Amino acid sequence: MPFASDTPFSTTLRKATEAEHGAAESSEFITTLMAGDRSARDYTLLIAQYAHLYRALEEEVANLRDLPEVADFFDPALERSEQLSRDLRVLLPMHGMSRCPEPLPATARYVAAIRAAAAEPTRLVAHHYLRYLGDLSGGLAIGRLVARHYEIPPEALNMWRFDSITKPKVYKDAYRGKLDAFGAQPQRAAALLDEARRGFTWNKAIFEDLLFDSKTRNAGAA
């Protein structure tokens, strides 16, 4: 997709992934969850799948944190694995689960993609951008919605808190500035765009698996 040469790369990235991003955000599972039409158990199952993703991403990031070309992106203040673990320690027992559910097939494919992306660090930056800037952009709203709809207790909403980032907009603007500089090289830009599109598609597939899992459980209980 051609863009004006003076367009910041972060803008190019956002525009080039709009279709895939929109398709993921409009998936039935996530739209009904955010509307209050699902359950606290469904929310718990969602963040359980996220736990697998963030563990893989953060393990691969740790291996590349000292690589000069990408190190500037990999701020530990963004990492979510510990926060997810804290949330799940509260939520899983509330729903009769003694341990985190295994990855769904779509989650396993997404995890494999993250692991493979580490062989080409530019592609790992795409996953880093997709996950963390999304969390910083919509996380506060998600936390408020699930707390209100499903009575999720405050101690189980750590996923959506970034205590070390006091000014999210300033932080996001700085991150986008890093993307603009990073994507100035055409080869990097092409790889990052391609992987980000794929990332949104893998994310959508997780929502589809969660919806199928929910319908199967409900049919079994009927």
Side-chain angles (χ1 to χ4, degrees), residues 3 9 12 26 56 58 97 106 110 119 144 150 169 188 193 202 219:
F3 291 91
F9 176 70
T12 297
S26 61
E58 288 163 16
M97 290 177 272
Y110 197 165
R144 286 193 297 266
Y150 309 114
K169 183 183 184 303
R188 285 179 179 173
L193 287 166
W202 285 313

mmCIF file of all heavy atoms in Angstrom, residues 3 9 12 26 56 58 97 106 110 119 144 150 169 188 193 202 219:
data_model
loop_
_atom_site.group_PDB
_atom_site.id
_atom_site.type_symbol
_atom_site.label_atom_id
_atom_site.label_comp_id
_atom_site.label_asym_id
_atom_site.label_seq_id
_atom_site.Cartn_x
_atom_site.Cartn_y
_atom_site.Cartn_z
ATOM 1 N N PHE A 3 2.114 5.100 0.417
ATOM 2 C CA PHE A 3 1.830 6.249 1.258
ATOM 3 C C PHE A 3 2.774 7.368 0.866
ATOM 4 O O PHE A 3 3.847 7.141 0.309
ATOM 5 C CB PHE A 3 2.014 5.911 2.750
ATOM 6 C CG PHE A 3 0.993 4.955 3.279
ATOM 7 C CD1 PHE A 3 1.232 3.589 3.253
ATOM 8 C CD2 PHE A 3 -0.207 5.415 3.791
ATOM 9 C CE1 PHE A 3 0.285 2.712 3.746
ATOM 10 C CE2 PHE A 3 -1.160 4.537 4.285
ATOM 11 C CZ PHE A 3 -0.914 3.190 4.257
ATOM 12 N N PHE A 9 6.173 7.019 9.810
ATOM 13 C CA PHE A 9 5.967 5.580 9.700
ATOM 14 C C PHE A 9 4.910 5.072 10.679
ATOM 15 O O PHE A 9 4.146 4.157 10.354
ATOM 16 C CB PHE A 9 7.279 4.821 9.928
ATOM 17 C CG PHE A 9 7.072 3.331 9.902
ATOM 18 C CD1 PHE A 9 6.771 2.678 8.720
ATOM 19 C CD2 PHE A 9 7.134 2.589 11.071
ATOM 20 C CE1 PHE A 9 6.539 1.302 8.693
ATOM 21 C CE2 PHE A 9 6.915 1.220 11.060
ATOM 22 C CZ PHE A 9 6.619 0.574 9.863
ATOM 23 N N THR A 12 1.712 5.444 8.973
ATOM 24 C CA THR A 12 1.618 4.413 7.936
ATOM 25 C C THR A 12 1.235 3.071 8.544
ATOM 26 O O THR A 12 0.360 2.363 8.030
ATOM 27 C CB THR A 12 2.959 4.283 7.199
ATOM 28 O OG1 THR A 12 3.266 5.512 6.541
ATOM 29 C CG2 THR A 12 2.920 3.167 6.173
ATOM 30 N N SER A 26 -13.903 -6.069 16.212
ATOM 31 C CA SER A 26 -15.337 -6.295 16.007
ATOM 32 C C SER A 26 -15.725 -7.764 16.127
ATOM 33 O O SER A 26 -16.878 -8.127 15.854
ATOM 34 C CB SER A 26 -15.761 -5.754 14.637
ATOM 35 O OG SER A 26 -15.073 -6.425 13.597
ATOM 36 N N ALA A 56 5.593 -15.607 26.257
ATOM 37 C CA ALA A 56 6.442 -15.834 25.086
ATOM 38 C C ALA A 56 7.097 -14.544 24.622
ATOM 39 O O ALA A 56 8.314 -14.501 24.360
ATOM 40 C CB ALA A 56 5.608 -16.448 23.959
ATOM 41 N N GLU A 58 7.725 -11.782 26.259
ATOM 42 C CA GLU A 58 8.690 -11.218 27.197
ATOM 43 C C GLU A 58 9.929 -12.084 27.352
ATOM 44 O O GLU A 58 11.019 -11.570 27.611
ATOM 45 C CB GLU A 58 7.974 -10.921 28.521
ATOM 46 C CG GLU A 58 7.057 -9.718 28.327
ATOM 47 C CD GLU A 58 5.989 -9.514 29.385
ATOM 48 O OE1 GLU A 58 6.099 -10.119 30.485
ATOM 49 O OE2 GLU A 58 5.032 -8.754 29.121
ATOM 50 N N MET A 97 -10.911 -23.201 38.817
ATOM 51 C CA MET A 97 -9.721 -23.608 38.080
ATOM 52 C C MET A 97 -8.506 -23.534 38.990
ATOM 53 O O MET A 97 -8.272 -22.508 39.629
ATOM 54 C CB MET A 97 -9.528 -22.732 36.835
ATOM 55 C CG MET A 97 -10.572 -22.979 35.758
ATOM 56 S SD MET A 97 -10.391 -21.870 34.318
ATOM 57 C CE MET A 97 -11.377 -20.455 34.860
ATOM 58 N N ALA A 106 -5.502 -21.398 18.518
ATOM 59 C CA ALA A 106 -5.111 -20.103 17.946
ATOM 60 C C ALA A 106 -4.028 -19.439 18.790
ATOM 61 O O ALA A 106 -3.131 -18.786 18.256
ATOM 62 C CB ALA A 106 -6.325 -19.187 17.833
ATOM 63 N N TYR A 110 -0.240 -18.293 17.671
ATOM 64 C CA TYR A 110 0.259 -16.939 17.921
ATOM 65 C C TYR A 110 1.577 -16.994 18.698
ATOM 66 O O TYR A 110 2.544 -16.282 18.374
ATOM 67 C CB TYR A 110 -0.809 -16.169 18.697
ATOM 68 C CG TYR A 110 -0.697 -14.661 18.717
ATOM 69 C CD1 TYR A 110 -1.779 -13.896 19.134
ATOM 70 C CD2 TYR A 110 0.457 -13.987 18.329
ATOM 71 C CE1 TYR A 110 -1.720 -12.510 19.178
ATOM 72 C CE2 TYR A 110 0.525 -12.605 18.365
ATOM 73 C CZ TYR A 110 -0.572 -11.872 18.792
ATOM 74 O OH TYR A 110 -0.497 -10.498 18.834
ATOM 75 N N ALA A 119 13.682 -14.460 15.507
ATOM 76 C CA ALA A 119 14.805 -14.697 14.594
ATOM 77 C C ALA A 119 15.032 -13.503 13.666
ATOM 78 O O ALA A 119 16.099 -13.371 13.064
ATOM 79 C CB ALA A 119 14.548 -15.962 13.773
ATOM 80 N N ARG A 144 -12.048 -0.605 33.407
ATOM 81 C CA ARG A 144 -13.286 -0.030 33.964
ATOM 82 C C ARG A 144 -14.505 -0.838 33.530
ATOM 83 O O ARG A 144 -15.415 -1.091 34.339
ATOM 84 C CB ARG A 144 -13.434 1.431 33.527
ATOM 85 C CG ARG A 144 -12.498 2.398 34.241
ATOM 86 C CD ARG A 144 -12.917 3.837 34.005
ATOM 87 N NE ARG A 144 -12.833 4.206 32.600
ATOM 88 C CZ ARG A 144 -11.776 4.788 32.043
ATOM 89 N NH1 ARG A 144 -10.700 5.047 32.767
ATOM 90 N NH2 ARG A 144 -11.784 5.108 30.759
ATOM 91 N N TYR A 150 -18.708 -7.157 35.312
ATOM 92 C CA TYR A 150 -18.533 -8.505 35.870
ATOM 93 C C TYR A 150 -18.049 -8.518 37.319
ATOM 94 O O TYR A 150 -17.719 -9.568 37.846
ATOM 95 C CB TYR A 150 -17.563 -9.305 34.978
ATOM 96 C CG TYR A 150 -17.964 -9.267 33.528
ATOM 97 C CD1 TYR A 150 -17.158 -8.636 32.572
ATOM 98 C CD2 TYR A 150 -19.164 -9.829 33.094
ATOM 99 C CE1 TYR A 150 -17.533 -8.584 31.243
ATOM 100 C CE2 TYR A 150 -19.546 -9.768 31.763
ATOM 101 C CZ TYR A 150 -18.727 -9.144 30.843
ATOM 102 O OH TYR A 150 -19.106 -9.091 29.523
ATOM 103 N N LYS A 169 -0.048 9.203 27.344
ATOM 104 C CA LYS A 169 -0.018 9.847 26.031
ATOM 105 C C LYS A 169 1.402 10.274 25.660
ATOM 106 O O LYS A 169 1.837 10.071 24.514
ATOM 107 C CB LYS A 169 -0.944 11.065 26.001
ATOM 108 C CG LYS A 169 -0.989 11.711 24.607
ATOM 109 C CD LYS A 169 -1.835 12.962 24.577
ATOM 110 C CE LYS A 169 -1.932 13.498 23.147
ATOM 111 N NZ LYS A 169 -0.602 13.763 22.554
ATOM 112 N N ARG A 188 13.039 -2.697 6.991
ATOM 113 C CA ARG A 188 12.425 -2.807 8.318
ATOM 114 C C ARG A 188 10.936 -2.482 8.237
ATOM 115 O O ARG A 188 10.094 -3.168 8.842
ATOM 116 C CB ARG A 188 13.088 -1.841 9.297
ATOM 117 C CG ARG A 188 14.463 -2.244 9.778
ATOM 118 C CD ARG A 188 14.975 -1.174 10.726
ATOM 119 N NE ARG A 188 16.298 -1.472 11.262
ATOM 120 C CZ ARG A 188 17.009 -0.634 11.998
ATOM 121 N NH1 ARG A 188 16.513 0.563 12.283
ATOM 122 N NH2 ARG A 188 18.195 -0.978 12.447
ATOM 123 N N LEU A 193 5.350 -3.943 8.969
ATOM 124 C CA LEU A 193 3.968 -3.856 8.479
ATOM 125 C C LEU A 193 3.369 -5.242 8.273
ATOM 126 O O LEU A 193 2.227 -5.509 8.674
ATOM 127 C CB LEU A 193 3.929 -3.069 7.165
ATOM 128 C CG LEU A 193 4.143 -1.564 7.263
ATOM 129 C CD1 LEU A 193 4.424 -0.984 5.880
ATOM 130 C CD2 LEU A 193 2.918 -0.894 7.875
ATOM 131 N N TRP A 202 -3.916 -13.074 14.015
ATOM 132 C CA TRP A 202 -3.762 -14.114 15.042
ATOM 133 C C TRP A 202 -4.567 -13.763 16.285
ATOM 134 O O TRP A 202 -5.147 -14.653 16.930
ATOM 135 C CB TRP A 202 -2.290 -14.301 15.381
ATOM 136 C CG TRP A 202 -1.516 -15.036 14.341
ATOM 137 C CD1 TRP A 202 -1.876 -16.201 13.704
ATOM 138 C CD2 TRP A 202 -0.249 -14.673 13.795
ATOM 139 N NE1 TRP A 202 -0.915 -16.567 12.796
ATOM 140 C CE2 TRP A 202 0.104 -15.653 12.834
ATOM 141 C CE3 TRP A 202 0.642 -13.617 14.020
ATOM 142 C CZ2 TRP A 202 1.295 -15.619 12.100
ATOM 143 C CZ3 TRP A 202 1.827 -13.564 13.295
ATOM 144 C CH2 TRP A 202 2.145 -14.550 12.351
ATOM 145 N N ALA A 219 -23.401 -25.331 25.475
ATOM 146 C CA ALA A 219 -24.197 -26.419 24.927
ATOM 147 C C ALA A 219 -24.104 -27.659 25.823
ATOM 148 O O ALA A 219 -25.089 -28.383 26.029
ATOM 149 C CB ALA A 219 -23.714 -26.751 23.522
#
